[in-house]
Amino acid sequence: MTSTFDKGNERQPSPWHCAPVLPLAPQTDLPGRIGVYDSGVGGVSVLRAIRAALPRESLIYVADSGLAPYGDRTPEALQARAEQVADFFVRQQVKALVLACNTISVIAAANLRAKFSLPIVAMEPAIKPAALVTSSRTILVMATANTVRSQSVARLCAEFGGNVRILLQACPGLVERVERGEFTSAATLELVASYVRPGIEAGADTIVLGCTHYAFLAAQIANIAGPGVTIIESSVAVARQLARVNPALPLPEQAWHPTSFYTSGPPHSLSAFLTSVSEEHTEIRSLPLSHAE
Ligand code: DGL
């Protein structure tokens, strides 16, 4: 089914270095939750894996959809934005933060860990497991332009690319389509095919989804790739890592609470997306951060 519900999510061209932080919304969330942060809706795939692994935890999800896609923004701008968002989570008194976004992770995780003392779980494209399972010794890594050209990916290629050919494929335009809930339109399938087919023709038998948004296109990617191609993504590994570093459960008097959703985009767009992927939600709040210059 194709669902297109938001055409008003235009990219903001300005950097955010000097963006004033707006007054915070009234504190309504209980402390001791786990924060989950993505440039938009892609991290919902990670949110689900976390919920499956840690069902007693209460979660806060931030979708920075008003500024998505992050994939081709400057590293400096992304680091500044990630700091703003992490600061928001700290004010919400989260006990741990999950960067449910490869792009934020490879660009900003080190900086955030240096500046904030809470446990921060980051992710990176699953090149290592892909290199271990490929039979054709060729893997295709689909990711944003920023992730493809990051030092983290260069390190992974150096470490695991000895006997394996690693084809790095930046996929501009896919994040926007997922943000709009446009999973199966002809244009989306054509775009997906243009990124998948060259790698398959070059012999890849394993595809790494190096962007959390692409998890919502996994069926389409698998369909285009054809039988015998393994698709690997990192959400379960992230949830496992969170379980390892997760501080103790919230205090007994703090009852479990449904996930709080915040977005810097139109709340109705996030609501429509969540409905389209059968993700239960109640209230969606505006992220109380400016994305002006
Ligand atoms: N979900 C983000 C990732 O994993 C997408 C980044 C973007 O907004 O371009 O990389």
Side-chain angles (χ1 to χ4, degrees), residues 38-43 67-72 100-104 123 143-144 147 175 179 210-214:
D38 181 38
S39 66
V41 299
L67 295 176
Y70 276 10
D72 50 4
C101 174
N102 293 266
T103 308
I104 300 166
M123 63 194 304
T144 66
T147 299
V175 166
E179 285 289 314
C211 167
T212 52
H213 281 72
Y214 305 166

Side-chain angles (χ1 to χ4, degrees), residues 1-272:
M1 187 189 72
T2 303
S3 60
T4 305
F5 42 74
D6 178 26
K7 299 194 186 302
N9 200 11
E10 296 295 323
R11 174 177 169 171
Q12 306 289 313
S14 310
W16 320 301
H17 301 76
C18 306
V21 177
L22 296 176
L24 286 169
Q27 168 77 48
T28 52
D29 285 327
L30 295 169
R33 294 183 178 206
I34 293 170
V36 182
Y37 165 35
D38 181 38
S39 66
V41 299
V44 172
S45 55
V46 179
L47 184 80
R48 289 172 161 179
I50 293 171
R51 193 179 295 127
L54 300 167
R56 293 178 62 200
E57 296 290 353
S58 299
L59 309 170
I60 301 180
Y61 186 88
V62 165
D64 203 6
S65 294
L67 295 176
Y70 276 10
D72 50 4
R73 299 208 181 251
T74 67
E76 295 75 22
L78 288 180
Q79 283 178 2
R81 182 59 171 181
E83 270 184 49
Q84 280 189 333
V85 175
D87 191 57
F88 165 77
F89 276 118
V90 168
R91 287 166 191 259
Q92 297 291 322
Q93 301 180 56
V94 299
K95 61 175 178 165
L97 173 58
V98 177
L99 306 180
C101 174
N102 293 266
T103 308
I104 300 166
S105 296
V106 299
I107 284 174
N111 183 50
L112 292 178
R113 286 184 176 126
K115 294 203 162 134
F116 296 87
S117 58
L118 79 172
I120 296 177
V121 175
M123 63 194 304
E124 60 188 12
I127 291 174
K128 177 181 175 181
L132 292 174
V133 301
T134 176
S135 304
S136 67
R137 297 195 172 283
T138 304
I139 68 176
L140 172 64
V141 180
M142 299 173 67
T144 66
N146 261 329
T147 299
V148 162
R149 59 177 170 245
S150 68
Q151 286 178 4
S152 298
V153 165
R155 174 183 48 76
L156 290 166
C157 290
E159 205 171 334
F160 302 105
N163 297 316
V164 173
R165 194 155 53 121
I166 301 173
L167 309 172
L168 300 176
Q169 177 66 63
C171 304
L174 286 190
V175 166
E176 294 91 319
R177 290 186 177 279
V178 173
E179 285 289 314
R180 295 198 296 263
E182 197 182 321
F183 305 125
T184 56
S185 69
T188 296
L189 297 181
E190 204 176 303
L191 194 59
V192 170
S194 74
Y195 296 138
V196 171
R197 282 209 183 107
I200 298 301
E201 282 162 14
D205 67 352
T206 307
I207 298 178
V208 175
L209 304 186
C211 167
T212 52
H213 281 72
Y214 305 166
F216 292 102
L217 294 171
Q220 292 82 335
I221 290 169
N223 204 27
I224 288 164
V229 175
T230 304
I231 312 273
I232 300 184
E233 54 95 31
S234 312
S235 60
V236 171
V238 171
R240 257 193 239 122
Q241 175 60 12
L242 173 64
R244 277 192 282 272
V245 304
N246 188 29
L249 279 169
L251 299 172
E253 65 268 23
Q254 295 174 329
W256 180 88
H257 202 275
T259 301
S260 292
F261 287 95
Y262 289 83
T263 180
S264 60
H268 68 85
S269 294
L270 178 55
S271 177

